[in-house]
Amino acid sequence: MVEPILRIENLYKNFGDVEVLKGVSLTVEEGEVVVIIGPSGTGKSTLLRCINYLTVPDSGDIYFEGRKIEYKQDNLSIVRQKIGMVFQEFNLFNHLTALQNVAIGPSKVKKINKTKALELAEKELLRVGLQDKADHYPAELSGGQKQRVAIARALAMDPKILLFDEPTSALDPELTGEVLMVMKDLALDGMTMMVVSHEMGFAREVSDKIIFLEGGVVSEMGSPEKIFNNPDKERTLEFVSKITRLGPIDSSRGGSDI
């Protein structure tokens, strides 16, 4: 059997007395798009952050390309180059142009020379449709453009998998579509992705697998057809029906997660 690109086994995480993750186990196959849905505050963001140890889990194992991820600097630096992450709030450097924001990772982390790093950055900005904004600073960009720069920055590191933590939650509804379109194109190109999102249309159309996370556990997982049309649990149907009825304006403002 082919080893999944990512395997999580029995993951636990507490914040003080609050149990956030309570034994989460799942796999992600290479080229698969996995969308994680669930109520706010149920541990979706924490799960993503544990994968590359931005948040250190209390127990459980995470395997990437068959190798266990360990909390050691040399191991983590290699893993983080291969596991890209796109955050809710963009996290761009305000004193750098879009081009410089994208080039900084290859230059500083992968030690690619400046000229080649800038050429790579130009290529990735073209990929997300922002080649004409290369010399603009973040303050001169819309929210959707900032998020596309953030995606280009992650792509410039040539990751094997991309993690998206509510990538449209900080955007006005009219700007959400441009970011989702880039993500759809990445899926068509075969990029492996894990996406925490309240965008049910995206989940239904693009994902290969949907995970319903609630109360710190995987309540249900399956194909979009199963989760939306014939889930095993009444609670899954209740959640999906409710959030789908909210429509794109409300669902894109899904609230903060842990």
Side-chain angles (χ1 to χ4, degrees):
M1 294 182 64
V2 177
E3 178 77 17
I5 190 169
L6 184 70
R7 177 161 47 95
I8 299 172
E9 295 183 348
N10 211 26
L11 203 68
Y12 283 82
K13 179 61 185 178
N14 296 348
F15 291 107
D17 295 331
V18 180
E19 293 182 292
V20 178
L21 299 178
K22 307 174 184 177
V24 172
S25 298
L26 58 90
T27 60
V28 179
E29 305 296 332
E30 187 170 0
E32 193 173 39
V33 178
V34 177
V35 176
I36 304 171
I37 65 173
S40 294
T42 197
K44 303 187 298 296
S45 293
T46 298
L47 175 59
L48 285 195
R49 293 177 67 87
C50 283
I51 291 172
N52 54 13
Y53 277 71
L54 291 175
T55 295
V56 181
D58 295 325
S59 62
D61 296 316
I62 304 171
Y63 296 86
F64 175 67
E65 295 186 316
R67 179 184 178 186
K68 183 177 178 180
I69 300 176
E70 298 181 288
Y71 193 53
K72 298 177 181 178
Q73 190 58 45
D74 58 340
N75 177 267
L76 282 181
S77 62
I78 295 172
V79 166
R80 285 173 178 166
Q81 291 181 40
K82 296 182 178 182
I83 303 178
M85 188 155 184
V86 178
F87 301 88
Q88 297 178 26
E89 298 293 341
F90 325 131
N91 290 357
L92 300 179
F93 293 105
N94 291 325
H95 66 290
L96 300 180
T97 65
L99 186 68
Q100 291 168 335
N101 264 285
V102 177
I104 193 170
S107 177
K108 298 294 186 182
V109 179
K110 301 185 79 171
K111 307 302 181 183
I112 295 174
N113 74 63
K114 183 177 180 180
T115 299
K116 289 189 178 296
L118 290 172
E119 290 175 354
L120 177 60
E122 289 177 350
K123 174 186 173 183
E124 297 304 345
L125 284 177
L126 176 63
R127 188 174 182 182
V128 300
L130 287 177
Q131 65 274 22
D132 60 332
K133 302 295 183 181
D135 295 328
H136 287 60
Y137 290 89
E140 301 172 302
L141 302 175
S142 70
Q145 290 168 341
K146 291 177 187 177
Q147 192 60 289
R148 284 190 281 159
V149 172
I151 294 172
R153 179 182 58 188
L155 290 171
M157 297 297 289
D158 193 25
K160 294 293 187 71
I161 182 172
L162 275 180
L163 311 179
F164 291 85
D165 184 12
E166 294 277 16
T168 61
S169 66
L171 303 179
D172 292 334
E174 63 182 320
L175 300 177
T176 294
E178 65 188 57
V179 174
L180 294 180
M181 186 59 66
V182 168
M183 294 170 64
K184 290 177 184 178
D185 289 343
L186 292 175
L188 289 174
D189 288 342
M191 174 62 70
T192 308
M193 299 191 288
M194 287 186 72
V195 184
V196 169
S197 182
H198 289 275
E199 297 291 341
M200 294 298 105
F202 176 85
R204 184 194 294 267
E205 180 182 351
V206 180
S207 70
D208 299 293
K209 180 166 63 185
I210 296 176
I211 294 172
F212 179 43
L213 191 70
E214 186 171 38
V217 300
V218 175
S219 178
E220 186 165 357
M221 73 171 70
S223 67
E225 293 77 12
K226 178 178 185 294
I227 296 299
F228 282 98
N229 299 328
N230 191 32
D232 292 334
K233 297 185 178 182
E234 184 66 27
R235 172 57 183 146
T236 307
L237 178 61
E238 176 189 1
F239 176 84
V240 170
S241 299
K242 180 179 179 181
I243 201 164
T244 301
R245 286 197 305 270
L246 290 175
I249 293 179
D250 289 322
S251 64
S252 70
R253 298 173 181 171
S256 62
D257 197 12
I258 292 178

